[in-house]
Amino acid sequence: MHERGFMKRERVFKYSLCCRLIISLAIAFCLSRIGLVSPALGQSAGAAPAQIDYDETTHTFRIDGGGVSYMFGVNQNGELQTLYWGKRLRSDDPIPPAHADGGTSSFDLSVNATPQEFVGWGGGLVVVPDLKVSFPDGNRDLVLRYVSHAIQGNTLTVTLKDISRDVVVDLIYRMDEETGVLARSARIENRTQQPFTIEQVLAATWNLGPSSNYQLRYLTGRWVGEWNLQQTTLHPGKVVLESRRGSTGDEVNPWFAIERTDQRDEDVGDVWFGALGWSGSWQINVETDWQNRVRITGGSTPFDFSYVLAPGQSLETPKFYGGYSDEGIGGASRLLHRLELDSIVPEAPHRRLRPVLYNSWEATGFDVDEGEQEALVEKAASIGVERFVMDDGWFGERKDDHAGLGDWYVNPQKFPHGLKPLIDKVHSLGMDFGLWVEPEMVNPDSDLYRKHPDWVLNFSGRPRTEGRNQLVLNLARDDVRAYVYGFLDKLLSENDIAFLKWDYNRNWSEPGWPAAPIEEQKEVYVKYVQNLYSILAELRAKHPHVEIESCSGGGARVDLGILRWTDEVWPSDNTDPFDRLSIQNGFTYAYAPGLMMAWVTDSPNWMNGRSTSLEYRFLSSMQGSLGIGANLNKWTPEDFAAAKRLVAEYKAVRATVQDGALYRLISPGNSEYSVTESVARDGHEAAIFAFLHSSQKGQPYPQLYLRGLDPDAEYSLHMQEGKLADGTAQRASGDYWMHHGVSISLRGDFQAAFFTLEREAAR
Ligand code: GLA
């Protein structure tokens, strides 16, 4: 590994990069000392460095990590041209140096025909630009050229600059050694003497070579119907995945996967995938050009956006993660899961397993009070629950969703002695305590709004559209940020709270910021999210034992940005165990099962009236992080006994389910069946959950061909719930279970089974 450049200016830039690095390290150190950044920021410092090389004769960069190689070079025009992204290559494999395409006609200029890593709008560009600016003199042309680069461990920074103006762009590439996932972002710096306006800035462009066989997959949804996998064949044109909602949203999730249709299989074939680390409005463009080349660009959406960069200022984009797997969409998911658990979530790579929690939201709604919660505490403890969470309704004048948000004092009628007696009771039974909050919102019927009506997003003199009777606080404002941090810090300082369920129950409307200078008002899209992250970072630094769940009326704020600061997410308000099978299946394309909170609730289900057995409900939820959200006051002694058994069974396999490698053996989709298999990281165990919707015409349950086992090892099978088909073996080789398979007996409607395979010690 070495770092070298070939332009004269490089030394100056390298020097300044070096100084900047030393200064940022010093600042990070100081901030961490005073508690402004979480230790998570520097957590992967100990990871083995990826291989990053620069060949100065061919001007080619090569980044290797996991099973992936990523290559680009500087072409004869000084453009940064993508050369290869895919399976790791041998070091002597021939990759021709970068050479700009001449363009195919006077209509298709070279700048559009050449796949570039990051491109400014200028010089005839018609594809999606990564950066578009306008200067005060009316010039809007921006042409970026390579200047220098620096390699630091597993991070490569390449500096580009406009051909005549001091607009400097640092492209940052950070390779994850284990998964080969590359995190890319860009930092735009104004070194001119005048401010200029950024009209569009995306994090990166990913390029795929020409093929007429690409298939795009992405995830769409709505409230109680999140995480639907969509697929479409790519043809020349553009697919735009976007949220204009102010936050991530559930309409589309900021994740994509592209595979070759001629090879498609769950666990076989080339797949390129990516996800954005950003919890505000966002955009991913998948453009297929006239040569069937695909360019993927993404970052915060340019819609209704502008950002004024004053001289000396810089703006860093969110991260756009990209990866490759030759093990199909299943392999792509497993790489993302690994990345999330080992290097994104706050405690990574030493993340604690999710405790089994209880939450009474579906049982008691807003009617929480000391006596009633304490009664539930005892019942929850009796089945092995480890965390008791009190949901909405405990604060301000909160009786329903019309009032109280913003007033974060404990309601004195419901809790005359504060939260302490309840928390003490929870602790006395060996559990920890969690609390629901919705910090970014306010009801107009609240003391906070009456005092500070100007604190919400709004346009002066225009209506303020309510959603669920609430408005969105403008977190971009310093006074709002201080208020939100202040009440949360006080709550966590005064009460022994181990967990916050951080909710966010509506999208933005009228996203105005009247108090800011007019030309800066659209910066709200960036500054809001930056302040959200900084509040989370500061709280985590000051209260390091507190864990946080990201909830947004279900799964409307799940992305790799919020996951840097939260330990788990709530994927959907839909807790029907059958619907959950497809919701959870969709979730796992992009996110790890261990991040997904899944409650067992009452039957018939509140939403669709469907009745299912307690066992079926448990097994559905046991495929993620198990929670219980049923009204325990209505349970029979038999229910308690069954729940106790199932909680114990879950605890025995939860490390495998939460942290292991997931194989979607049968995705629910259009099928009657749904089967997942999780294999422990060290391979000692596999946990298999199988579901049947309805038996039809005497059809037996399909044979289950397991995956990810050691072919030569010996495994014993343990049926935990349900029945094996007669004559099924109890002990056999990995090859046997993967190729002969397991035959289980499931008949009827809404049936489920759960079994484990345990690797035997070598004889
Ligand atoms: C949202 C959440 C629910 C519950 C309610 C409380 O809808 O998704 O789980 O917390 O808010 O108001």
Side-chain angles (χ1 to χ4, degrees), residues 223 226 359 361-362 365-366 390-393 395 398 400-401 405 436-438 468 470 501-505 549 551-555 570 572-575 599:
W223 181 68
E226 297 90 340
N359 180 308
W361 169 248
E362 285 197 22
F366 296 96
M390 179 156 69
D391 211 279
D392 200 348
F395 55 90
R398 189 80 163 161
D400 53 34
D401 62 14
L405 286 175
W436 181 95
V437 287
E438 193 175 3
R468 207 194 191 203
Q470 62 197 53
K501 176 177 171 185
W502 184 302
D503 215 334
Y504 179 87
N505 273 313
E549 175 180 289
C551 172
S552 177
W570 179 235
S572 180
D573 274 357
N574 185 340
T575 54
W599 296 352

Side-chain angles (χ1 to χ4, degrees), residues 52 109 120 167 263-264 274 277 340 394 405 434 441 454 472 497 525 540 552 572 602 629 645 676:
I52 303 181
L109 303 177
V167 177
Q263 306 176 315
R264 258 186 66 195
E340 289 151 7
W394 59 269
L405 286 175
M441 299 287 168
D454 51 330
V472 185
I497 293 172
Y525 289 99
R540 294 200 77 108
S552 177
S572 180
D602 288 321
R645 181 187 80 239
T676 63

Side-chain angles (χ1 to χ4, degrees), residues 424-478:
D424 285 350
K425 173 110 187 175
V426 169
H427 289 164
S428 73
L429 291 166
M431 300 182 288
D432 67 27
F433 180 76
L435 196 61
W436 181 95
V437 287
E438 193 175 3
E440 300 150 82
M441 299 287 168
V442 65
N443 286 117
D445 186 0
S446 65
D447 293 343
L448 184 71
Y449 188 72
R450 283 184 279 273
K451 198 163 162 205
H452 297 291
D454 51 330
W455 276 13
V456 298
L457 292 170
N458 75 96
F459 289 119
S460 297
R462 306 287 302 173
R464 300 171 176 201
T465 305
E466 293 175 21
R468 207 194 191 203
N469 314 300
Q470 62 197 53
L471 297 167
V472 185
L473 289 170
N474 182 356
L475 215 56
R477 291 173 59 122
D478 290 340

Side-chain angles (χ1 to χ4, degrees), residues 46-250:
Q51 185 70 26
I52 303 181
D53 287 305
Y54 176 69
D55 181 332
E56 64 182 305
T57 49
T58 58
H59 308 318
T60 301
F61 294 92
R62 174 172 176 148
I63 308 175
D64 290 313
V68 178
S69 295
Y70 190 89
M71 297 173 79
F72 58 93
V74 183
N75 67 24
Q76 73 276 28
N77 299 331
E79 295 161 335
L80 224 51
Q81 182 176 341
T82 311
L83 299 175
Y84 176 78
W85 179 26
K87 193 169 171 72
R88 196 165 185 153
L89 299 178
R90 283 195 341 218
S91 58
D92 58 350
D93 275 331
I95 295 285
H99 194 271
D101 191 312
T104 44
S105 75
S106 58
F107 297 98
D108 301 316
L109 303 177
S110 164
V111 67
N112 299 306
T114 304
Q116 293 191 51
E117 289 285 294
F118 189 95
V119 63
W121 185 74
L125 191 85
V126 293
V127 294
V128 176
D130 292 289
L131 181 60
K132 182 175 187 315
V133 301
S134 67
F135 295 96
D137 63 358
N139 173 40
R140 304 193 305 281
D141 187 58
L142 184 77
V143 176
L144 298 169
R145 295 288 185 256
Y146 170 85
V147 176
S148 65
H149 69 270
I151 297 169
Q152 197 77 40
N154 51 1
T155 302
L156 164 67
T157 305
V158 183
T159 302
L160 310 177
K161 195 187 91 55
D162 177 60
I163 47 176
S164 72
R165 301 193 174 202
D166 285 335
V167 177
V168 175
V169 178
D170 286 335
L171 303 184
I172 303 150
Y173 299 78
R174 188 181 170 86
M175 174 53 95
D176 182 62
E177 174 76 8
E178 200 186 350
T179 60
V181 173
L182 207 49
R184 293 183 56 189
S185 58
R187 185 169 45 233
I188 320 304
E189 197 180 330
N190 181 357
R191 294 200 196 158
T192 73
Q193 305 302 314
Q194 302 269 313
F196 62 77
T197 303
I198 298 177
E199 293 172 355
Q200 165 159 339
V201 59
L202 301 176
T205 298
W206 302 96
N207 292 291
L208 299 180
S211 163
S212 54
N213 288 321
Y214 287 129
Q215 177 105 9
L216 169 70
R217 305 219 208 193
Y218 56 100
L219 290 160
T220 62
R222 62 177 164 78
W223 181 68
V224 300
E226 297 90 340
W227 309 108
N228 305 294
L229 186 68
Q230 309 294 347
Q231 29 199 334
T232 180
T233 302
L234 290 177
H235 300 293
K238 184 166 63 172
V239 179
V240 181
L241 311 177
E242 186 176 42
S243 163
R244 297 181 174 189
R245 294 164 179 261
S247 68
T248 322
D250 51 16

Side-chain angles (χ1 to χ4, degrees), residues 377 381 386-388 419-434 495-499 545:
V377 168
E386 298 157 313
R387 171 169 289 169
F388 185 90
L419 297 178
K420 192 165 185 316
L422 174 62
I423 296 179
D424 285 350
K425 173 110 187 175
V426 169
H427 289 164
S428 73
L429 291 166
M431 300 182 288
D432 67 27
F433 180 76
N495 299 286
D496 195 347
I497 293 172
F499 172 81
H545 65 285

